[in-house]
């Protein structure tokens, strides 16, 4: 499959991730009496990944996340030369989704970007008022765990066909843990899309949601490669594109 087609698949997949996950938070989480709440938002993020992993995993690997792409490269599962194309596509997809979400949300009387459009934040912009350090630590640890699960679920020794389920449920669990802390990023593209629309504080704090997930992704990818893969490697570099992963 050509790089152009794979990056287009990444753009579409990341669009779906942000529209579905952030859309559930902005449009449905707080709806009077019928709101889906934190648990519903967490499940929505997991479902976007699960569905797209089956839809485009065989095309692009369904990373949907710069931290996942970088972590897989660190773990020997992805060609680092293709990182720029993947990351640009992911950020574009996330930004288009955030713009669509803003257009829809602004159709409600009284809507304001002061709510953050599901942007990630720390300090006074954390849902639970958690500090910068709390946000940094949770984002690194959870992204590392996410990469570890992705690497294991897509290992050639793992049961075939179940990787999207494991990865989608892992992302759901990650959101259940960390929505109160940072609104959950573990994905720089997911953070960038809403931040570009909101501007102001969301852009000022965006650095953390690039730094922490990338550090965590590298740690998770390297840890799995060192601890769990046989010396010959479970999957040669560059072959990850043929097996569904995700973001």
């Amino acid at each position: 499959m050509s790089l152009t087609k794979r990056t287009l698949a990444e753009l579409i997949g990341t669009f779906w991730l942000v529209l579905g996950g952030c859309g559930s938070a902005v449009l449905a989480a707080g709806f009077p009496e019928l709101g889906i709440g934190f648990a519903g938002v967490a499940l929505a993020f997991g479902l976007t990944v699960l569905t797209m992993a089956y839809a485009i995993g065989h095309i692009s690997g369904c990373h949907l996340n710069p931290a996942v792409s970088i972590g897989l490269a660190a773990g020997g599962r992805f060609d680092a030369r293709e990182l720029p194309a993947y990351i640009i596509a992911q950020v574009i997809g996330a930004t288009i989704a955030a713009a669509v979400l803003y257009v829809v949300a602004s159709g409600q009387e009284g809507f304001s970007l002061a709510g953050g459009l599901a942007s990630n934040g720390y300090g006074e912009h954390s849902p639970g008022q958690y500090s910068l350090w709390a946000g940094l630590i949770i984002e690194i640890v959870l992204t590392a765990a996410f990469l570890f699960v992705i690497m294991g679920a897509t290992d050639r020794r793992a049961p075939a066909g179940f990787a999207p389920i494991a990865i989608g449920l892992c992302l759901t669990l990650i959101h259940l843990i960390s929505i109160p802390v940072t609104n959950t990023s573990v994905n720089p593209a997911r953070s960038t899309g809403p931040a570009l629309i909101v501007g102001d504080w969301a852009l000022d704090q965006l650095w953390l949601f690039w730094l922490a997930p990338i550090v965590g992704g590298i740690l998770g990818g390297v840890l799995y490669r060192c601890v769990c893969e046989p010396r010959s490697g479970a999957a040669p570099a560059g072959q990850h594109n043929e097996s569904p992963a995700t973001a």
Side-chain angles (χ1 to χ4, degrees):
M1 192 71 69
S2 70
L3 180 60
T4 298
K5 288 186 176 180
R6 285 186 281 125
T7 53
L8 182 58
E10 284 293 304
L11 187 155
I12 294 169
T14 312
F15 171 88
W16 182 237
L17 172 74
V18 174
L19 185 66
C22 295
S24 70
V26 173
L27 304 176
F31 201 81
E33 298 183 5
L34 298 176
I36 61 175
F38 280 7
V41 173
L43 183 60
F45 272 100
L47 288 173
T48 61
V49 163
L50 189 156
T51 52
M52 271 297 157
Y54 279 118
I56 66 170
H58 55 289
I59 299 171
S60 69
C62 191
H63 301 182
L64 318 186
N65 182 338
V68 168
S69 297
I70 293 170
L72 290 170
R77 299 281 191 88
F78 185 67
D79 188 344
R81 294 172 297 181
E82 296 184 347
L83 284 174
Y86 264 56
I87 292 171
I88 290 169
Q90 291 156 359
V91 172
I92 291 174
T95 303
I96 295 172
V100 170
L101 178 57
Y102 171 69
V103 171
V104 173
S106 61
Q108 181 183 46
E109 185 177 355
F111 171 78
S112 170
L113 282 176
L117 203 70
S119 293
N120 301 112
Y122 55 84
E124 64 179 309
H125 301 293
S126 156
Q129 306 292 294
Y130 285 84
S131 69
L132 182 158
W133 286 106
L136 182 69
I137 292 168
I138 199 72
E139 290 286 334
I140 291 174
V141 171
L142 291 181
T143 312
F146 193 33
L147 261 293
F148 195 87
V149 169
I150 290 171
M151 294 278 286
T154 58
D155 194 307
R156 288 176 178 170
R157 298 165 294 171
F162 293 99
I165 298 173
I167 295 167
L169 289 176
C170 180
L171 190 61
T172 297
L173 175 59
I174 285 169
H175 280 77
L176 289 173
I177 296 168
S178 61
I179 285 177
V181 184
T182 60
N183 224 14
T184 309
S185 172
V186 301
N187 183 338
R190 169 263 183 272
S191 299
T192 300
L196 289 175
I197 303 297
V198 173
D200 195 25
W201 65 266
L203 281 177
D204 291 341
Q205 296 191 355
L206 182 61
W207 66 270
L208 185 143
F209 303 105
W210 275 86
L211 175 64
I214 288 174
V215 170
I218 293 171
L219 288 174
V222 171
L223 181 63
Y224 188 88
R225 186 178 189 179
C226 292
V227 174
C228 299
E229 289 192 344
R231 183 164 299 184
S232 60
Q239 290 216 353
H240 183 75
N241 289 341
E242 302 303 322
S243 60
T246 166

